[in-house]
Each structure stands twice: as C-alpha cells, then as structure tokens.
Amino acid sequence: MLYNSAVKKGSLLRRYNRLLTRYNTHRHEVSLAQIADTLACTSRYARSLLHEMQEEGWLVWNSRPGRGALGVLQCRMNAAALETLVAGEYPASETEMAAVQAQPHYSSDGFRYFISFYRPLLAPIPSIHTDRAGRHILQMVHAGLARHIPEQVAPIPGLAHTITCSEDGLRWRFILRRGLVWHNGEPVLPEQLRQTLERYAGGPGLPHVMDVKCENYVLTMQLGQRDNMLLYRLANPVYALPHPRNGSIGLGPFKVSEHSSSQLVLTRAASWYGETPQASEIVYNTPLSVAPLPALVRLDTPHSMIAPEAMTERDNADAFYYVTFNQARGRLNAQQQAFIRRVTRCICAGLIEREETLGPLPEWLQPTHEPDVQALLPDSLNLVYFRSTEMRKLVDELAKSLRYRGCKVTLTPISVTHWLLQDKNWAEQDLCMGFLRFEQHDAFSMEERYRHSVMWAWFWGEAVWRRGISILDRINAGPAERYSQRVKRLMRFLSNRRWIVPLLAQRYRLVTPASVQGVFCYPQSWPDFTRLWTDESQPAESIQPQQG
C-alpha cells in the first residue's frame, strides 16, 4: 500500500472534518452529489476521496447502483478522535516548531545513525493511538516520572529522582528532579507536569489514580485502591509528559529537529537529565519506494551506507495474532466458530513455513486442542482485522477459503492508530483478527488493551468485559513480581474459553553493522539510541557477525 504524504493526509483530514461536521457519526442516506457539495468538489473526485477515507478507516460508504441513488454514509471517527490524530500527524504549529529548530544543536561530536522506514512517521506526541515505531520514538523524545530500560523488567525513576509509597499503597510521593529544561530551552514548572498527569488520572491509563497534587517539587498521587503496577503505567511512553503547548517538545534524551513526510531527525538534547548519549543524531528516512516491511528494522552508519559491512542480526518474537468472535451478535454458533478456527489454523501453518516474519506460538500461549468439526456457514460474514502486511495475507487466504465454502467475507482493515477509537461499528462485525504483545514489561500491554479496547466489550458483552476488569484490579493489588505470571494466567483462561484464540507469533528483526556497539533492544527489536556507539578503531571487515 502506498501511504499518503503528510500534506496530502492533512488535506484529507480537513475534508473528512467537513463530513463529520455535517453528518456527525450517525448513519445517513445521501447521494454522491450531496457529499460532493459538502466537500466542495465534483462527484467523481468525491468518490475518490470517500474511497481514500474508507481505506484509512475513517468512515463507511456503501454506494448503490443507479444515477442519483442514495448511498449509506457513516463517519467512524468522532471529533475527539479527529483532534487526537491531527495533533499526532503534524507539528503543533509551524511557529513553535520553527522556534525549536532555531535552537542550536547540542553538538556535532557524536555518532550518526540512519533508519529507512516504510511510511511517513507521525509527530512524536504521546497518545494511546501511537503505533509500534511511534512508541519507541516517544521513549527517545519524551520522559515520564518513571521509565523502562531494555535489560530490566521493573521500571526505574525518571523525572522523579525519588519515589516512595505509603504502607497501604494508596499514597505515592514523587520528588521531582531540579533543573529540568524542555527541549525548546524553557525551564520545567512542576505544575506543568501535574496538569498533564491530572488529565491521565482516572482513565484507562491510570485507572486507580483519584487525585494529583503538587507542592513545590513534591508531586503526590492519591489512589482509590492499591496498584502495585503504577510505576509501569507511568513508564509507558504513551503517558509521557510533553510540553503543554507543543506535544512534540519533550524532556527525553533526543529532540525533534526536523519532521516532514520524508524524514524525521532526532538530535541529542543538551538538557537531558541522564547520561549523555554517544549518538548525536538519528535520521529516519521514509521514501515511499521502500517495501512495507514493518517487522524489519535496519540501522546504518554513514560508512555502512556507502560501503558493504559485516552485519549483525537480532531477532525476537514478542507479539502474536489472535482471532475472536462477536458473541453478542450471535451469528455464528459454537460449531461454526470451531470450524473457522480450524480453517484459520491450517492457513497459519502454511504462512509460518513461507513467511520469515511469522513463527509458531510459545508453548504457554498454545491454545488447547480442538476436535475437527464440519459446519455450514452463513452466506456472508463481516471480518475486521489489524492492518499489517502479514495479517493481510492471512485474512485474504481465509476469505478465499470461506468463499469456496459458500460464505462471502467482507473485510474491514483497522489501522493501529485507530484500533482503540470509540466505534459502535464493532457490533456489526462477526469476527476479528487482532494483535497483542507479550513478554518483558510488554506483558503489561494485555491489560492496556483490555482496559482501552471497545471491541472486546462489544464482542463479549458488558458483563464479561467488566468481570475481566475486576480480575485485573485484583491483579494490580497483588505483588508486582507476580503480575506477569497472573496476567498470562488470565490470557490462558481467555484462550481456553475461546474468547481469544492465539494463532501465530510475529517475528521482529534488527539488522546493524557489526561495528555498532551498545545495542540494547526494547521489545519488537527497536534499539535504545542512548546506548549506541560505533567502534571505529577496527575495520568493519575484521568483525564477524554474531547472532543475537
């Protein structure tokens, strides 16, 4: 798929806003001519725009044959979601970004690294709608009260140099670091951090935080119940603490010095409170000619871009695809669901053999055996899926297999940035192919997805979903060292009950020149830029590649 440039997508978002303003998120029967009038364009161009918006997952448009016939239009993204995506797509304002770029670079004395990415990158503004690559960039640009380091499961202090908790676990005190400075040169005011945390409090990100207060440089959080995972939540990059007026400005080790549809440049921040990175610049190049291989990250040095070097590969598989059925809609009985799962497993086995980016599930995640069944399927089904290169291959083969059995499948892709939007159209889907992460501190993503996911609540019913929330609340109140084990137990429970059935694992790979040292990887193979350095004393040809 070719991705729109940032400029083109900005124009598309503005046109979508016209439709949203007029029709809201309700279903409407309208003609193409009426839509063209709203968009101030010709009917032919309006049809093209509707197709693009539908591909992005912003709306549903079902046309009907006949000149002047009324079609069905429904906007899927409400005003709040639109504001979130617009804020994440571009710099907050040209004026403020110009002010940031006017600041001199910290130093040209350092190593430079280059990454070719397959699509334009959003501005690094903390949001739950941020995708895999975006979350890693958030970790490099922004900071929170706590933060993760790759080799350690438990988070460490971040903007707070000391963290204490009362004996009952309900009152947390964070002693803020002094002398913090935003990337644009402004000194940090503790009240700025408090205001951002207050917005997060009580939501799915900080569900147990009832109140946030700040007195001088002491920030206090009052909880409604014990939450031993609070520091993990505060270390989540989507709840980092950005500048109150420009979300791209942060307090992390790198700052955004350039951002366009073809390039994102991070440079070392002079005001970073931690150890000075050896890397002075990270450049993401996003030419549209690059093949869409999001599971592969290749990091280059200036030398490796012009001359062949021995390369080192590091692999991990800490995410998986799953299938879940809409139990509330009830169009598929238990036998029909089992039949579809059997067909899907057969397809997955073939994909694992053919695709190097896919692999078998770890033993603990393997679903229990199901007996083979046969079943007649409905004439048609609606399938919504997580949009990725590998998932598209899976759902295309499944749709073809079910069509051979007399069942037409309507496919609806959902971009990762739209996955958690409040969308009632989940009720119209019969099954979903989703995506989850696990292992290390990203076992925590299971809870994040559960609390944020509108889809699971629609598919399983409010009662079942709330039961899961209460189980997570009890897990939160337990010892932090047992959290991962207990969440995995919950995952196995959901799998045994067939609410979520894991299918296959997604493999990620980082490729670097062998001369690059200090490579510590976060989940999904993204390297910690603060540790990277290049051993320039030895010729790259003398270094043998090693498997990580």
Side-chain angles (χ1 to χ4, degrees), residues 153-171:
V153 175
I156 63 175
L159 300 180
H161 70 77
T162 300
I163 302 172
T164 60
C165 179
S166 62
E167 289 187 8
D168 61 5
L170 300 181
R171 190 169 183 269

Side-chain angles (χ1 to χ4, degrees), residues 95-235:
T95 303
E96 292 193 52
M97 281 304 294
V100 175
Q101 293 177 18
Q103 297 290 326
H105 289 181
Y106 171 65
S107 174
S108 60
D109 179 21
F111 301 104
R112 302 177 72 226
Y113 298 99
F114 301 88
I115 294 175
S116 290
F117 204 59
Y118 72 104
R119 58 165 175 75
L121 289 158
L122 305 183
I125 299 174
S127 166
I128 61 168
H129 302 292
T130 309
D131 60 11
R132 177 183 75 98
R135 291 190 179 212
H136 177 254
I137 295 172
L138 289 181
Q139 287 179 291
M140 299 296 104
V141 173
H142 294 282
L145 296 178
R147 68 186 182 101
H148 284 298
I149 55 176
E151 68 272 29
Q152 183 172 313
V153 175
I156 63 175
L159 300 180
H161 70 77
T162 300
I163 302 172
T164 60
C165 179
S166 62
E167 289 187 8
D168 61 5
L170 300 181
R171 190 169 183 269
W172 289 71
R173 294 176 76 248
F174 303 85
I175 314 301
L176 301 177
R177 296 180 187 272
R178 305 269 178 158
L180 295 173
V181 179
W182 295 107
H183 289 164
N184 64 353
E186 296 178 13
V188 173
L189 302 177
E191 180 63 17
Q192 293 175 319
L193 306 184
R194 187 201 67 80
Q195 290 174 357
T196 301
L197 288 165
E198 193 174 51
R199 291 199 302 270
Y200 297 151
L206 300 177
H208 309 304
V209 177
M210 308 298 292
D211 188 35
V212 182
K213 294 181 179 179
C214 187
E215 184 176 348
N216 199 6
Y217 278 80
V218 179
L219 192 146
T220 305
M221 289 187 187
Q222 188 66 39
L223 276 59
Q225 74 153 63
R226 178 184 286 272
D227 184 2
N228 290 322
M229 302 307 295
L230 179 64
L231 295 186
Y232 289 77
R233 304 180 200 282
L234 294 172

